DNA sequence: TATGAATGAGATTTCATTCAT
DNA sequence: TATGAATGAAATCTCATTCAT
């Protein structure tokens, strides 16, 4: 409504409507979880109506699934722009960790969504077959870095890409996902700039240190 | 009803009712989250009735808070039995990490509850004043280990107990909290014995390695 | 509300509420079918609320099932008072036919309900296990009449009770169930007293005639 | 769309669309009844769109009426090919009964449609003025058989064509319309070949027996 | 302390129908 | 003649909570 916008050439607003709903829904699900979210609340914040939500997504759960799918697609497509193969193994590993840290740090919504999906035991993610392939790439990429590093003698430890991925994710995800309870218990705010910088460096060093040191360090 | 009914000493029964409700509620909240849990479902699985839930806990949220409080009390009381001060710093740090790993691995309910509470931005935990003191101890204990290690020359890096705690928690918590999405995406089951052992060793080695190596490793 | 009625001894009104809902629901289902019936409409005509319908019957379909069950229980319990065994075979058969005719003629609601259930391919009746035993009796009773008649030489044709039951039901049911289309097409009203009498006699005579005549009449 | 599109003679397509919609609608109404049928479901199974349904038939009820009209037209046009006048009265009566039996047995859809229309108290049929004339013929035809039979001494009972029609219809219709509840209650399948044959013979014999026997049999 | 019935407010979902093109 | 998007009204159902006893 802020500016007159004539209907683009042909297609009405289907894409726009869908995208609008998705964005609003994402915020609502992130804020209240799947059961806590209200379709009415989503509809109200939308340019369309509640009816349209069902028209496009079939059900609250269908909408949630779409939100989830989009969230995963987003991170993986961003990740794909990293071009890690062009860096030497150490730089590539650092960059991957830093990217993970930065992405989760700057997308607490994404983190919350994953946490919510875990509460539901990944029931919805499991049904999204599109996701799996995309993620195989992420692991393949990390695997390539690790074996290149080993070959070149930069890394000393032979380790599984999935294991390293697990650790990177754990370290980066937890400080976002659990910042509220952590803050409540230890009386600190993990999102403070100074802490964020320190933790980023710490995590990089921890993982890099692990990979570079020999198995019986 | 025709049976003799001696004037039951009141308290015992009340205690049992309360405990019964708490146990059932915990299972329900863990399974479905706060908004997903149903008071009706809890009442049905209880020996008592719905009215009693309100009598004892006032509301669904009151019940949830009580469950949360109990969960934290449990872990901290277990943690207190570790007697880390009697071990040398390296052994103490290992033991603390292993304990954390084992506790979260064997208490996925607890992990889920914390994840749920984070979805609600720790709103309920924040109000539980009993919790904070208890946790100061945990940090004090880790801090003692770290400074002792530094003093004795076993550890090379000066670092904050809260930071190390954050990393230990992140690594141990994530593999339980996110095992569903992780499993769905990478097609693996993190709870398999062989993986659990490997990850436990890996996490210990990672943290210990970080602490023992110098800051410019 | 027409007279003050103090709450009977103990139990509140559960039985009363249930029965009230059932009666109203029956009328609504009979009038509009299962899909055409409105829970709101039922609730409005009830002393209770819509919420109570779900409290007692769980769903619209649950309510419909209960209505169906009661309808079948009613006819069979009425049928059971016929005491056909005390009559000679011919009289017993006549009486059974007349009873069927009269019951369906005076209970068009019941007839409609069965027709509705057939539209749903007996999906709900099939799940009502209570019904089956009750109906075995009806066939056993008719079977007894037929074989007694054969033995005594009053009937000449050996025929299955289920077949005879099918014919009796068909003749009695159809003139009620299809009276609307029949009336519309042939411009007559099957419920007129004079016709009812004639048809009742005709049906009795038709069936009795069939049973008494030899197989190659 | 780049294909050559000759100015299609309009009517043909329109006719086909209409016929397509009618066929799909008939299946849907037969399956779910008038209220249970979904316009969306019909549209989906159609080559055309929902808008066309409204274009051609005005409303869901208009569509239903059209389906009903067509169904009646079908049976009567088939019936007209019987040429009963060329047979002797007994053969003609047998043939009419057998035809009725066979038609309803092989057109359960038609039977269901009539049953559905009766649920709605023939409200839609009543408005279809085309139907009535057509049916006068059916009765006239049966009347001719009955009076010819009486005259020739083959039949002994003077009876109304409408009454006999009622009985034939009742016997043939019921075993199709009520086969679901009947099957559920008596645990049998009325459509089994062996039973169908037996019942066909039985019904013929029952009606013929009635007509041929004297009034005080 | 205990209980079964009851409930109002609001949640999700459905459906016949129409609009803009 | 045709279409895909859109919709208001109303349907079914749910839920935390309380009342009467």
């Amino acid at each position: 409504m802020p500016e007159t916008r004539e209907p683009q050439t042909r297609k009405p607003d289907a894409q726009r409507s869908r995208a609008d709903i998705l964005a609003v829904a994402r915020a609502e699900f992130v804020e209240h979880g799947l059961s806590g979210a209200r379709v009415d609340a989503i509809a109200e914040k939308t340019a369309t109506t509640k009816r349209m939500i069902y028209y496009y997504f079939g059900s609250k759960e269908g909408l949630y699934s779409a939100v989830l799918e989009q969230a995963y697609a987003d991170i993986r497509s961003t990740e794909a722009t990293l071009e890690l193969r062009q860096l030497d193994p150490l730089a590539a590993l650092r960059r991957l960790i830093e990217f993970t840290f930065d992405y989760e740090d700057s997308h607490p919504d994404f983190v919350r969504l994953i946490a919510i999906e875990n509460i539901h035991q990944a029931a919805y993610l499991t049904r999204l077959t599109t996701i799996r392939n995309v993620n195989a790439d992420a692991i393949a990429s990390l695997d390539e870095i690790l074996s290149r590093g080993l070959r070149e003698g930069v890394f000393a430890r032979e380790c599984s890409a999935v294991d390293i991925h697990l650790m990177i994710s754990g370290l980066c995800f937890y400080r976002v996902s659990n910042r509220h309870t952590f803050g409540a218990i230890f009386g600190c705010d993990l999102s403070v700039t100074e802490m964020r910088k320190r933790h980023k460096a710490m995590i990089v060093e921890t993982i890099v240190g692990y990979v570079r040191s020999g198995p019986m360090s």
Side-chain angles (χ1 to χ4, degrees), chain A residues 17-18 20-22 24-25 28 37-61 63:
Chain A
S17 289
R18 250 191 78 104
D20 178 20
I21 293 170
L22 263 184
V24 172
E28 173 84 3
R38 298 289 162 240
V39 176
D40 274 314
I42 295 171
E44 247 164 53
K45 289 170 203 145
T46 289
T48 67
T49 69
K50 189 164 50 160
R51 185 64 192 76
M52 280 291 95
I53 293 175
Y54 286 91
Y55 182 70
Y56 283 121
F57 301 97
S59 67
K60 186 185 178 182
E61 301 199 343
L63 178 55

Side-chain angles (χ1 to χ4, degrees), chain A residues 64 68 72 108-122 173 176-178:
Chain A
Y64 170 78
L68 197 61
Y72 269 102
D109 274 22
F110 174 74
V111 169
R112 284 175 69 83
L113 207 51
I114 306 311
I116 288 164
E117 176 62 2
N118 273 292
I119 297 301
H120 296 283
Q121 308 190 101
F173 191 96
V176 181
S177 70
N178 284 43

Side-chain angles (χ1 to χ4, degrees), chain A residues 75-117:
Chain A
I75 187 178
R76 291 313 174 204
S77 78
T78 313
E79 209 173 60
T81 67
L82 282 179
E83 316 220 334
L84 300 173
R85 254 159 246 247
Q86 300 177 5
L87 301 174
D88 69 88
L90 189 55
L93 181 58
R94 280 181 184 283
R95 183 153 179 195
L96 178 60
I97 300 170
E98 284 170 354
F99 167 78
T100 306
F101 185 96
D102 288 338
Y103 191 91
E104 318 230 310
D105 183 75
S106 60
H107 294 79
D109 274 22
F110 174 74
V111 169
R112 284 175 69 83
L113 207 51
I114 306 311
I116 288 164
E117 176 62 2

Side-chain angles (χ1 to χ4, degrees), chain A residues 2-197:
Chain A
E3 31 170 352
T4 60
R5 227 190 307 195
E6 49 237 305
Q8 319 144 275
T9 51
R10 228 191 197 151
K11 295 214 167 178
D13 282 303
Q15 290 298 70
R16 180 94 65 73
S17 289
R18 250 191 78 104
D20 178 20
I21 293 170
L22 263 184
V24 172
R26 178 173 166 138
E28 173 84 3
F29 283 128
V30 158
E31 173 106 16
H32 300 105
L34 173 50
S35 350
R38 298 289 162 240
V39 176
D40 274 314
I42 295 171
E44 247 164 53
K45 289 170 203 145
T46 289
T48 67
T49 69
K50 189 164 50 160
R51 185 64 192 76
M52 280 291 95
I53 293 175
Y54 286 91
Y55 182 70
Y56 283 121
F57 301 97
S59 67
K60 186 185 178 182
E61 301 199 343
L63 178 55
Y64 170 78
S65 290
V67 165
L68 197 61
E69 183 163 30
Q70 207 198 32
Y72 269 102
D74 280 1
I75 187 178
R76 291 313 174 204
S77 78
T78 313
E79 209 173 60
T81 67
L82 282 179
E83 316 220 334
L84 300 173
R85 254 159 246 247
Q86 300 177 5
L87 301 174
D88 69 88
L90 189 55
L93 181 58
R94 280 181 184 283
R95 183 153 179 195
L96 178 60
I97 300 170
E98 284 170 354
F99 167 78
T100 306
F101 185 96
D102 288 338
Y103 191 91
E104 318 230 310
D105 183 75
S106 60
H107 294 79
D109 274 22
F110 174 74
V111 169
R112 284 175 69 83
L113 207 51
I114 306 311
I116 288 164
E117 176 62 2
N118 273 292
I119 297 301
H120 296 283
Q121 308 190 101
Y124 303 92
L125 182 61
T126 305
R127 272 174 242 139
L128 295 180
T129 44
T130 44
I131 300 298
R132 233 163 300 174
N133 323 350
V134 177
N135 283 281
D137 292 355
I139 286 298
S141 172
L142 177 53
D143 191 50
E144 192 267 342
I145 295 169
L146 292 176
S147 43
R148 192 146 51 89
L150 259 185
R151 230 182 305 126
E152 297 181 9
V154 202
F155 298 157
R157 193 188 299 263
E158 194 168 354
C159 45
S160 129
V162 168
D163 287 5
I164 298 302
H165 178 80
L166 178 71
M167 290 212 291
I168 298 172
S169 289
L171 292 169
C172 296
F173 191 96
Y174 182 85
R175 53 173 287 286
V176 181
S177 70
N178 284 43
R179 68 191 187 283
H180 301 110
T181 53
F182 202 92
I185 289 173
F186 300 111
C188 63
D189 179 356
L190 292 175
S191 66
V192 162
T193 307
E194 178 260 332
M195 250 197 181
R196 176 166 52 235
K197 270 190 186 163

